[in-house]
Amino acid sequence: MNKTLFFIVAWLGLSFCAVHAAEMGADEAAQKASHMAYYQGKDGRSSVTMVVTDAQGRTRERQMTILRFNIQDNGDQKYYVYFYKPNDVKGMSYIVWKHPDRDDDRWLYLPALDLVRRIAASDKRSSFAGTNFLYEDVSGRSITLDAHEMLPGDEKYYVLKNTPKDKAQVEFSYYKTWIDKNNFIPVKAEYYDKEGKPYRTIEVLEVKDIQGHPTIVKMKAADLNSGAFTVAEFSDVSYDVGINDDIFTERYLRNPPSQWIKG
Amino acid sequence: MKLMRRPFAIWIVACLAWAATGELASAEWQALGGFMEEAFGYRAGDDNLTKHKSFDMAEQRLQLKDQYTFDGEGLLSRWRSVLRFKGDFTVDEYFAGETDFELREANISLTPASFMDIKAGRQVLTWGTGDYLFINDVFPKDYESFYIGRDDEYLKKPSDAVKLSFYPKAVNIDFIVIPYFTPNTMPEGQRLSFFDSFEGGIAGRSSDRFLVSPAWQPENFEYAGRFYRNFSNTEAAVYLYSGFDKIARSYKDEAAHQLYYERQDVFGASLRGPFAGGIGNIEGGYFYSPEDPKGDNRLIQNSMAKFMVGYEKDLGHDLKIGFQYFYEQTLDYGAYRAALLPQDFFWDEYYHLLTQRITKLFRNQTVAVSFFNFYSPSDQDGYVRFSVSYDMTDQWKIVMGANIPWGQGEQTTFAQMKKDKNIYVRLRYSF
């Protein structure tokens, strides 16, 4: 009797899981995708090269090291960005205390002036360092800011329609994301304007396995109206390198932590 | 003797000697960086007092910078030491092609313990919360560069100093010893005209003032300290300073037209943090004048109180605005006025200043338009700074701008500069 009951419960449980997997909730998919794109490991380090190609085909290059530290999974994080290129900003460093539920705290250090400037940063949808990526693309858009809706996908991807809860804060009316069913990496995002026309895309061009984490190592942001685009490549990616909270302070803005950042 | 002053030279020689004795391990100097710049400033006012009537800036500049990170088994490597060097070679056509070299940075940073950093040598020092306004930032400035339109970098002059920083849990501490006094670079008549009390009005080349710096001796070392920490996301700081006024405001010898940098002690504090959807800041300081504690010596600057409050907001679409209010009060004003002689020029008790900033970026942040306005309702004067910069490529940048000081009288901060209006252009190649 007990055995029978156990099997019944187990069977019910398994089928519940199976049904659940088949009907992955939109919120859950969005949350897993956000985790894979921005929160893997306890911390992370990577070297980033961004090449901006404008509508006339001219290119500009940005080169930096980014350090990341999770305070809370899918919650608060801290970022440290050190710029190598272009030459006129070499040595500039930048700290973000990311808060999904309110304005981030940001500080910028300008070495030529020895100045630590507090940045008024209410607009997370402005260009990151003059590229086609936005601040929110670099540090992640909080999943609570959008309503997520599952659209019919295919055997490889979940497709989500994400509609902002506060339309006044953003320039898009909604965006779609394609999420890999195998590893929950968001491989593509397409942004739609008020007329429902796509005007901006972000595409993942390459994913690599690093320390057991599927990791985006190459991606492209394109402005469909102007034809300008930016390709970002991530190299020397490593997770759990032992970054601690201390380095996201004025001390390390002025003196970049040399174990992770080579001047 | 801009090039090498003694205390500084000693530091560098010591550092290099130490480095050379086996510590220069596997790491290498990073590739030399810097820029070349051509700058021209057209004089937009009717200034016939200065050396050249038609222009106030015509110069070529080559900046070179490099750094060396120690990376081996030695002590300096374990202390994560970094040598930094930055220097500017200039050819100044304003002074008939005079060449110069200004060493802007030459210092070594060390972390001898996890709770401590040291930075020794020539370095730019800054702290405080203002935007082009300074209370507790008592470190030397170059206002001549500011008024003729050089890059903001040149507003800050380097100091020869040792900076010790401590990071215990409760509060961070900076302690700075500045053995060699560096004054502000102020308009002195050759390039920019200004109010000269000995001449009784705006003076140019005819100015024959002599500014006396404190002698280099241990009693004249300057000391500056800052205690700071965050309370949640608000930054709080307390500042202390004992040294000298960076502007020669006191009279050494009236007959010989000698001014000097009187002693000054400053006690101040500031707060900065998120406020009303932007960043708010508030800062104050008490400037004690130990050589004239009662304020009754007409030749020496009185003690003062200074205060400012500011707000900056990001309106989105790469548009930022900022506002500041600055207040200054001369203390013991009654004693000062009572001590004045009938022919003396004198200063008001209260000073009010408002500033506005608008910065907007265009074309993927390659074009920056910046407008900064100073306006003093108490002095009825002001100063408009306007600039447009364009990053043509990652290497080439062009900046055009205007500096427009104006005012009713001849004596106040900006009114005395009213003949120094200019329009400038700078072309820079970075490498």
Side-chain angles (χ1 to χ4, degrees):
Chain A
M1 178 62 196
N2 276 347
K3 241 180 196 171
T4 316
L5 186 63
F6 171 79
F7 276 117
I8 289 169
V9 170
W11 181 80
L12 281 173
L14 282 174
S15 46
F16 177 76
C17 285
V19 167
H20 196 67
E23 292 176 11
M24 163 67 62
D27 286 353
E28 191 184 352
Q31 169 142 358
K32 287 192 169 171
S34 162
H35 173 84
M36 293 309 285
Y38 300 106
Y39 288 91
Q40 293 194 73
K42 177 89 187 106
D43 61 55
R45 175 201 177 281
S46 78
S47 301
V48 188
T49 304
M50 293 183 176
V51 177
V52 186
T53 305
D54 70 12
Q56 286 78 43
R58 293 172 298 197
T59 60
R60 294 167 194 272
E61 195 181 333
R62 308 279 174 269
Q63 208 177 308
M64 66 210 86
T65 292
I66 298 184
L67 308 176
R68 168 178 63 83
F69 179 75
N70 295 353
I71 309 274
Q72 222 184 353
D73 195 20
N74 286 319
D76 278 27
Q77 283 183 317
K78 294 186 178 179
Y79 285 86
Y80 186 112
V81 183
Y82 181 88
F83 285 89
Y84 296 94
K85 274 186 182 170
N87 291 312
D88 62 338
V89 301
K90 185 177 172 5
M92 192 171 89
S93 50
Y94 189 77
I95 285 176
V96 182
W97 293 1
K98 174 184 149 188
H99 310 294
D101 54 336
R102 59 193 158 96
D103 284 351
D104 295 345
D105 293 305
R106 296 187 202 166
W107 290 265
L108 179 69
Y109 176 64
L110 302 169
L113 304 170
D114 185 48
L115 181 66
V116 175
R117 184 178 284 168
R118 188 92 185 227
I119 306 287
S122 33
D123 187 15
K124 296 182 186 182
R125 299 207 58 82
S126 57
S127 160
F128 175 77
T131 68
N132 297 99
F133 289 97
L134 309 182
Y135 277 98
E136 246 175 20
D137 303 326
V138 175
S139 64
R141 174 170 173 83
S142 173
I143 54 170
T144 59
L145 295 174
D146 303 316
H148 310 283
E149 183 188 333
M150 187 72 81
L151 298 179
D154 55 22
E155 69 279 9
K156 276 195 86 179
Y157 303 112
Y158 297 112
V159 181
L160 292 186
K161 181 182 179 184
N162 312 280
T163 309
K165 291 175 184 167
D166 182 356
K167 288 203 191 303
Q169 294 293 318
V170 294
E171 82 288 2
F172 55 84
S173 61
Y174 67 94
Y175 66 103
K176 285 192 207 170
T177 43
W178 281 257
I179 299 167
D180 191 319
K181 285 186 173 174
N182 284 325
N183 55 19
F184 288 96
I185 293 276
V187 294
K188 187 179 171 188
E190 202 164 53
Y191 292 79
Y192 296 81
D193 63 18
K194 310 287 175 203
E195 282 79 49
K197 199 167 120 293
Y199 70 95
R200 175 170 192 263
T201 58
I202 300 179
E203 277 174 280
V204 170
L205 303 178
E206 195 181 346
V207 176
K208 263 189 191 165
D209 189 287
I210 295 169
Q211 295 170 247
H213 300 286
T215 303
I216 298 166
V217 294
K218 194 171 179 184
M219 62 198 287
K220 177 179 170 182
D223 178 339
L224 304 181
N225 292 332
S226 74
F229 62 92
T230 301
V231 174
E233 288 193 67
F234 301 80
S235 57
D236 300 324
V237 180
S238 43
Y239 294 96
D240 301 314
V241 294
I243 294 168
N244 58 41
D245 210 357
D246 288 355
I247 67 158
F248 303 92
T249 56
E250 183 175 331
R251 178 184 191 182
Y252 291 96
L253 264 183
R254 289 174 189 269
N255 294 303
S258 58
Q259 59 271 53
W260 297 297
I261 290 167
K262 296 284 171 236
Chain B
M1 282 303 285
K2 227 191 223 171
L3 175 58
M4 270 240 175
R5 293 187 308 222
R6 198 151 45 133
F8 156 74
I10 290 167
W11 269 107
I12 291 312
V13 170
C15 292
L16 291 178
W18 192 6
T21 55
E23 287 263 358
L24 285 172
S26 52
E28 286 179 10
W29 289 92
Q30 73 176 205
L32 204 61
F35 63 80
M36 279 185 294
E37 188 180 76
E38 188 78 38
F40 183 79
Y42 169 75
R43 212 182 271 285
D46 52 340
D47 197 347
N48 48 13
L49 302 170
T50 49
K51 190 173 168 65
H52 294 288
K53 282 182 196 140
S54 59
F55 68 104
D56 59 13
M57 171 166 64
E59 60 197 32
Q60 292 107 50
R61 183 179 292 272
L62 168 67
Q63 180 178 89
L64 295 175
K65 60 180 172 183
D66 209 342
Q67 72 180 51
Y68 180 86
T69 307
F70 290 87
D71 183 13
E73 295 303 311
L75 187 64
L76 286 177
S77 306
R78 277 185 280 125
W79 286 0
R80 297 197 211 123
S81 311
V82 182
L83 277 175
R84 289 189 181 85
F85 161 85
K86 180 156 84 179
D88 282 22
F89 296 89
T90 52
V91 179
D92 190 347
E93 301 298 346
Y94 192 85
F95 293 107
E98 184 182 83
T99 56
D100 200 356
F101 174 69
E102 187 195 3
L103 194 57
R104 291 192 57 84
E105 271 182 58
N107 56 66
I108 185 165
S109 303
L110 315 160
T111 303
S114 62
F115 58 86
M116 178 184 186
D117 292 331
I118 301 172
K119 190 170 180 181
R122 182 164 294 188
Q123 55 191 298
V124 173
L125 298 166
T126 306
W127 57 40
T129 62
D131 186 8
Y132 288 151
L133 297 180
F134 309 102
I135 293 179
N136 292 293
D137 181 346
V138 290
F139 306 110
K141 310 282 183 296
D142 181 347
Y143 282 101
E144 198 174 79
S145 290
F146 191 62
Y147 280 109
I148 63 175
R150 289 192 187 118
D151 190 274
D152 275 1
E153 172 176 5
Y154 298 99
L155 172 61
K156 305 289 172 82
K157 283 175 76 177
S159 301
D160 294 326
V162 178
K163 178 173 168 184
L164 306 174
S165 301
F166 303 93
Y167 308 93
K169 279 277 171 239
V171 63
N172 299 320
I173 302 161
D174 285 329
F175 178 68
I176 302 173
V177 182
I178 307 168
Y180 197 100
F181 175 79
T182 306
N184 283 1
T185 299
M186 301 301 290
E188 39 68 64
Q190 290 291 332
R191 194 190 290 273
L192 296 176
S193 55
F194 70 106
F195 176 80
D196 184 342
S197 59
F198 298 116
E199 301 231 340
I202 293 177
R205 269 185 301 169
S206 59
S207 173
D208 62 351
R209 307 188 309 167
F210 187 74
L211 310 182
V212 182
S213 286
W216 187 53
Q217 57 194 47
E219 301 90 276
N220 290 342
F221 284 13
E222 295 166 274
Y223 302 93
R226 174 173 66 138
F227 299 81
Y228 64 104
R229 65 161 293 168
N230 284 9
F231 293 96
S232 175
N233 51 14
T234 299
E235 303 156 68
V238 170
Y239 310 86
L240 303 169
Y241 169 72
S242 175
F244 299 89
D245 194 346
K246 295 293 186 295
I247 299 175
R249 282 185 247 244
S250 295
Y251 294 86
K252 186 110 194 155
D253 183 338
E254 278 183 291
H257 291 193
Q258 281 185 5
L259 289 163
Y260 81 111
Y261 303 90
E262 80 283 349
R263 275 201 173 275
Q264 188 174 76
D265 296 331
V266 184
F267 311 90
S270 71
L271 285 175
R272 178 168 68 180
F275 178 76
I279 300 293
N281 67 287
I282 182 165
E283 182 170 342
Y286 167 61
F287 286 63
Y288 176 65
S289 181
E291 292 173 55
D292 186 17
K294 293 191 186 119
D296 53 2
N297 187 334
R298 57 180 268 280
L299 301 177
I300 299 176
Q301 182 79 8
N302 278 28
S303 298
M304 301 189 102
K306 300 184 189 189
F307 168 81
M308 70 174 153
V309 52
Y311 178 68
E312 193 189 279
K313 185 163 169 64
D314 176 2
L315 296 178
H317 305 286
D318 287 323
L319 174 65
K320 281 186 182 177
I321 54 166
F323 304 94
Q324 294 178 108
Y325 166 69
F326 179 92
Y327 169 77
E328 195 175 273
Q329 184 181 347
T330 301
L331 302 175
D332 308 309
Y333 192 74
Y336 164 70
R337 285 300 295 268
L340 288 172
L341 298 179
Q343 75 277 18
D344 281 349
F345 290 97
F346 61 89
W347 309 98
D348 290 339
E349 183 173 10
Y350 304 104
Y351 176 64
H352 302 275
L353 178 66
L354 299 165
T355 76
Q356 299 86 39
R357 171 191 279 283
I358 301 173
T359 309
K360 168 88 177 152
L361 308 178
F362 298 92
R363 295 174 63 107
N364 273 343
Q365 303 181 349
T366 56
V367 175
V369 177
S370 165
F371 169 86
F372 196 98
N373 186 45
F374 295 88
Y375 168 64
S376 169
S378 55
D379 281 358
Q380 282 300 308
D381 68 357
Y383 171 29
V384 179
R385 284 170 66 82
F386 176 77
S387 73
V388 182
S389 73
Y390 174 40
D391 294 326
M392 294 178 281
T393 69
D394 280 344
Q395 285 78 39
W396 288 97
K397 178 180 191 144
I398 188 164
V399 183
M400 283 175 285
N403 290 287
I404 309 162
W406 58 272
Q408 299 291 326
E410 293 197 328
Q411 191 184 337
T412 55
T413 310
F414 303 116
Q416 63 171 315
M417 307 292 302
K418 63 188 170 189
K419 289 175 176 289
D420 299 312
K421 296 176 180 66
N422 93 339
I423 297 167
Y424 65 88
V425 57
R426 288 190 273 114
L427 181 66
R428 179 181 285 202
Y429 178 82
S430 300
F431 54 88

